[in-house]
Amino acid sequence: MSNSKQAYPVVGIIMGSDSDLEIMNAAADMLTTFEVPFELTIVSAHRTPKRMVEYAQTAKERGLKVIIAGAGGAAHLPGMIASLTTLPVIGVPIKSSNSLDGWDSILSILQMPNGVPVATVALNAAKNAGILAAEILGISDDGLSERLSNFKKDMEQSVLDKAGKLKTDQ
Ligand code: RP5
């Protein structure tokens, strides 16, 4: 699936199973908000290893600049993708049906060996993965950087509004 707005995706969102989609949609939503073209598909490290290798090895030449990879349980997808490409990989640990309590997914993605980094976000935090991907791209895109800046300002204002409301309620 590609973001219909633009022909050339620069972020690849991949996940180990369609059961991860509910969580991973949050990354897609953030990229849509920031007007970053992306593609989204299923790539399983264990069930489709050849597809995983092909995806990682062709990602750069296809124009991708960042990959967001989500997986649950024995979550090897982000690390294996990172081992096969020089693109930055953001890993999303997912508390899946085969996950004990989420720690298995977190540690599988977080505890990478020296030389093969994966930027790991919090459990189920695909939203932050989307924001981080946009921030990486924002380094060389002033318009995107401005949209990210406005996002942070809106977030700040919403907290200040809530704080102000608490004050008046007391
Ligand atoms: C992982 O196993 C997937 O990323 C998913 O989080 C989990 C469960 O997959 P299904 O059995 O629901 O397909 O590889």
Side-chain angles (χ1 to χ4, degrees), residues 11-170:
V11 177
I13 302 176
I14 55 175
M15 63 208 80
S17 168
D18 61 343
S19 61
D20 299 323
L21 187 58
E22 204 181 325
I23 296 295
M24 294 303 288
N25 267 336
D29 289 346
M30 288 319 296
L31 293 175
T32 301
T33 299
F34 293 127
E35 298 169 40
V36 174
F38 63 89
E39 63 178 25
L40 181 147
T41 191
I42 297 166
V43 179
S44 168
H46 304 118
R47 295 166 177 159
T48 64
K50 288 181 219 145
R51 175 172 162 79
M52 176 194 66
V53 171
E54 207 213 329
Y55 188 91
Q57 288 182 334
T58 60
K60 201 170 177 181
E61 70 201 39
R62 290 191 301 107
L64 296 185
K65 298 204 178 327
V66 182
I67 296 174
I68 298 173
H76 295 137
L77 181 65
M80 285 307 298
I81 291 283
S83 77
L84 291 158
T85 179
T86 56
L87 294 178
V89 176
I90 303 170
V92 183
I94 293 176
K95 190 171 182 318
S96 57
S97 60
N98 63 325
S99 195
L100 295 175
D101 54 8
W103 276 112
D104 42 8
S105 320
I106 291 172
L107 295 175
S108 298
I109 296 177
L110 182 68
Q111 291 301 111
M112 288 297 292
N114 280 327
V116 190
V118 169
T120 310
V121 296
L123 188 68
N124 291 342
K127 178 174 181 173
N128 273 359
I131 297 168
L132 182 56
E135 287 179 339
I136 292 168
L137 296 165
I139 292 167
S140 54
D141 181 334
D142 289 345
L144 176 53
S145 182
E146 172 98 28
R147 292 192 284 282
L148 282 156
S149 178
N150 289 337
F151 172 76
K152 283 203 191 286
K153 280 184 204 146
D154 289 349
M155 210 165 36
E156 180 183 26
Q157 193 54 53
S158 117
V159 173
L160 294 176
D161 289 348
K162 285 174 194 168
K165 190 166 181 303
L166 275 186
K167 233 176 177 177
T168 41
D169 286 350
Q170 279 170 2

